[in-house]
Amino acid sequence: MTELASRVAPPRPALSDRLKFYGTWVATALILLLLPQIFTSGGSMTTFSLVGISIIFALSYNILLGQTGMLSFGHAVYYGLGGFLAIHAINLLGGNKWAIPLPLVPLIGGMAGLFFAALIGWVMTQRSGTAFAMISLGLAELVASSALILRTFFGGEAGISANRTKLFKVFGLSFGPQIQIYYLVAAWTLIAIIAMYALTRTPLGRMCNAVRDNPERVQFVGYDPHVVRYLAFCFSGFFAGIAGALAAINFEIANSAYLGAVQSGTVLFAAYIGGIGFFIGPIVGAIFVTILSLGLSDLTQVWQLYFGLFFIAVVLFAPGGITGLLMMHRPLIRAGMLSRMLPSYLVAALPTLALVTGLMLMIETIVHYTVNPHEDPNRVAFGIPFNAASPLTWAISAVLIVVGFVLCRMAWARVGQTWDETLTAARAKVHAL
Amino acid sequence: MLELIVTSTLNGVLFGMLLFLMASGLTVIFSMLGVLNFAHASFYMLGAFFGFQISRWFGFWPALIFAPLLAGAIGAAVERFGLRRVHRNGHVAELLFTFGLAFAIEEIVSIIWGKVPVDFRPPELLDFPAFTIFSTNYPAYKMFMLAVSIVIFVGLLLVLKRTRIGLIVQAALTHPHMVGHLGHNVERIFMLVFGVGTALAAVAGVIAGPSLVTQSNMAAMLGPILFVVVVVGGLGSLPGAFIASLLIGLVQTFAVSVNGSLASVFGPLGPDLAQSWLSDIWNVTIAQIAPIMPYLLLVLILIFRPMGLLGTRET
């Protein structure tokens, strides 16, 4: 009897669990508050702001892909429209001296995203899967190309700019310095993360997961999967609009690139690389991808190629993303058996490193010959100096690739074997307890 | 007026047939593997660039044969070592894999051949005007493009409908296990179909390369239109893709040649919109919105006939 009751209503969480839950949020808020004290340079303020915006955008994307199972290739539409509406709102508010301060402008962007998602979404969400993906792509192209035609509203190629400091001031904040923008973005990021987390806990959030896993069964239970998808789509558009508005505030400009395929692709990369199966996945992905794209461009000319190859590798070998890989190890940690895996990981790391280094050497050498063949062949990529013209470089790269590949196959097969054994042992141990 | 109709029809049919060459490969792959190959237009681009490179070394005619073979071999390898691996993770993972692939191919092409258009010219043999209509010279190369497209279209239909290979391929679409039990290697059939599909896209690339522009963003420009074709025609329907290709080809070429706008039609009746932002919609010409015509068509089709023109299923 007690067993049955516990299935109907989950028990109230224990005090320690609740403390842990609220403690996590308080800790996150504290970290956001203290970050500018640790990294004080202007560059890091900009980076943090971009990371925050990208976290909101990636989480809003995951409402579609991870939680409801809709693969969208056009999520930048709601981001971009939110950004444009925010810029127009700033100009309007500043021009007319209305008493609406800048911190509320992201809400206007969110409303814009919600409005367009509600407008377009009903037709789009009738279907899921491949058809939805293609339709989202077509609509994104439609909106992005329209942006170049409707010049008065979208400002053509130059875009529309605004001055964020001209708005009604609260607490004497002008929002001119980047640090104030950082705190604005950080506050909105925290609010959006909490709101989106709360959304996953509501019945709607649960129904979204059900629609993702088995739409037919949802229909039998008495819900319309189309309506559930539509609601999820609207929420997703709302949060994407907030992210777009924050980006517009940060750069004080909105242009057609906000709506484009690159923006849609980047958020897809971020959410998937981070891991779409967990709430924290897109956050990890957004941080990773933003910092990587800012940092890699200093290390090599062709960072976008590495970026694409990395994404393919994640799809091929780690469909759960970075978070999925880490979470796989939870049962081992619980059983205290993680140390059993470490030796085989270390053994596998060496040939993998060799293979990756070999591939990088090869790519960089090819880049030297195709992009700038007349320059100095002594190149530096990822901090490693090498001579692209020397046959030795080619030989080393070939050996690293071939030997690394062969050893990799053997080492990773061993890792898989050890993994199976350890996991079985860990499960047995937990059950025995 | 007659001149405009004749030339636009010719150009429209030409563009439509090129679209169909690509859409046919995409449709066959979709109906077999259940995944829309996002990188299909990238293989079209690879075909164009391989064609350019081979024609530089050996001339145009070897390029027309070897560039598609090369691209098809790459396609088969992609299926064998990539798609087959992600297949067990579901369709979303497959679509994402081809999305990443399209991204990577574009980067690689722009690294090797640069971002500016390359000088890919039609062969001298075909560099003469075939005929003249209303004082416009029609290059023989365009007629050659049309001929190749039609030959491949007819050939594809015959192979699929009339040969033993076509029978097995069609059976493998619907009943892969049964075909497997009959002793055919279904995995190899899938790989070959993927290779042939991408090779078809590459043929389109080689013959379109000299006529259109060969540059590293040509896949990104054509890719979305290709998916419009497939969705409008009805997912998985080859005849539907044919009709949709011609429709989109004609709509786009006719739109380019029409210079009218709302203002020019209703000008005397219309209110003065010069100051409001609606003036954009009022004054934009049909020629200007030609690039977004396919997407408008997509939206209309979705509202009025969600399964596409000749599609039979909703998803």
Side-chain angles (χ1 to χ4, degrees), chain A residues 127 134 145 151-152 304 370, chain B residues 36 103 111 280 292 306 314:
Chain A
R127 310 194 280 171
M134 290 306 111
S145 332
R151 288 175 173 277
T152 322
Q304 279 164 314
T370 54
Chain B
L36 269 182
F103 186 86
I111 285 172
D280 282 334
I292 63 170
E314 279 266 328

Side-chain angles (χ1 to χ4, degrees), chain A residues 35-48 178-179 182:
Chain A
L35 264 182
Q37 312 299 326
I38 304 164
F39 304 95
T40 46
S41 74
S44 50
M45 280 306 101
T46 315
T47 310
F48 292 145
Q178 186 66 34
I179 180 125
Y182 164 76

